[in-house]
Amino acid sequence: MQTQPSGEVLNAQGTPIPALYAAGRTACGLATLGRSIYSPGLSLADTTYFGREAGRAAAG
Ligand SMILES: Cc1cc2nc3c(=O)[nH]c(=O)nc-3n(C[C@H](O)[C@H](O)[C@H](O)COP(=O)(O)OP(=O)(O)OC[C@H]3O[C@@H](n4cnc5c(N)ncnc54)[C@H](O)[C@@H]3O)c2cc1C
């Protein structure tokens, strides 16, 4: 699954799916060479930051 920084979920063509947002570990993480990796100790920071962004976008 891929998302925008705003948490909007993208379809296979890379277009946002209307009104569908994602947050948490499945929706964010460091990306290196095109793939997401697990970086110990950073989960709570990036899930909190991007979850807040998704909430703000969904409410807007
Ligand atoms: C032992 C341990 C130590 C860790 N230490 C660290 C650390 O030091 N620093 C760090 O950054 N990360 C740490 N992590 C990783 C971090 O906790 C996770 O990556 C992070 O919590 C993932 O957040 P999430 O929102 O994706 O999922 P979760 O935090 O798992 O949240 C998912 C929520 O959805 C709820 N849920 C599930 N199914 C349903 C349903 N059907 N209906 C309604 N609710 C549902 C669950 O009850 C849960 O509250 C640790 C993880 C573990 C297991």
Side-chain angles (χ1 to χ4, degrees):
M1 176 185 72
Q2 291 193 324
T3 59
Q4 301 268 57
S6 59
E8 294 171 283
V9 178
L10 303 178
N11 64 21
Q13 289 71 44
T15 305
I17 300 171
L20 181 61
Y21 292 83
R25 186 73 266 159
T26 59
C28 62
L30 295 176
T32 302
L33 299 177
R35 67 186 182 93
S36 184
I37 59 170
Y38 181 77
S39 181
L42 288 182
S43 288
L44 297 180
D46 54 20
T47 56
T48 300
Y49 176 82
F50 286 105
R52 185 169 186 267
E53 289 298 300
R56 289 174 64 171

